[in-house]
Amino acid sequence: MTDDAYLFLLDDASARLGVAPAAVGELACMETPAVRAWLDAQGSTPASPHLRLLPPEETAAIPEGAERLPVPLSDEELSRVRHRMAPEPLARVEEELLAYRDCADGRDGLIGRALAAGVPPHRIVELTGVDPATVTAAASG
């Protein structure tokens, strides 16, 4: 596993792998000379349907031989990438987890629903800011 996210190009734009950088919103890395030069060298643009982005924990899924470039993302940018990649039921629960930061009512119930929906405990900690022990307690309770 790497600490960098990766931009990569897919041969088949209809493949459901990664997320289009344009769908995530503004990313600081897209304005860097390194990314611009890489896109130019590939004959691509930031809006290309073939251009995709994966977070560090998913980069093993990049097809062998695909053109790729490691890019650093801020924590907030990385959170947006992960959120866009989540299937719709998980994305809705993740939205609730993000909203939870502002309200503690029903914490254990929300964490329990998120775990039942398949949101990994580390992601719940990331989204809510709660202590990992709180998530563990909710999982066993």
Side-chain angles (χ1 to χ4, degrees):
M1 187 162 92
T2 176
D3 290 328
D4 287 325
Y6 271 81
L7 283 174
F8 63 101
L9 291 170
L10 285 175
D11 291 334
D12 180 4
S14 67
R16 300 186 60 104
L17 178 62
V19 63
V24 179
E26 290 189 32
L27 298 169
C29 68
M30 296 302 289
E31 299 302 321
T32 64
V35 169
R36 288 181 180 201
W38 182 78
L39 288 170
D40 286 345
Q42 305 309 318
S44 189
T45 68
S48 169
H50 297 272
L51 184 63
R52 302 295 168 83
L53 181 63
L54 279 174
E57 67 274 8
E58 300 289 334
T59 57
I62 298 173
E64 192 170 322
E67 294 295 333
R68 64 185 82 199
L69 178 70
V71 292
L73 298 179
S74 70
D75 289 342
E76 189 273 330
E77 290 171 335
L78 190 54
S79 183
R80 285 187 286 145
V81 168
R82 288 176 175 142
H83 180 69
R84 290 291 296 174
M85 289 186 58
E88 183 56 34
L90 291 182
R92 276 182 277 157
V93 172
E94 284 191 356
E95 287 289 333
E96 289 183 56
L97 289 167
L98 282 170
Y100 167 77
R101 288 181 176 178
D102 299 325
C103 174
D105 291 339
R107 176 193 70 195
D108 290 345
L110 175 58
I111 292 172
R113 283 197 328 271
L115 290 167
V119 179
H122 73 275
R123 184 76 172 129
I124 294 171
V125 169
E126 179 182 311
L127 292 166
T128 63
V130 299
D131 185 82
T134 301
V135 176
T136 303
S140 61

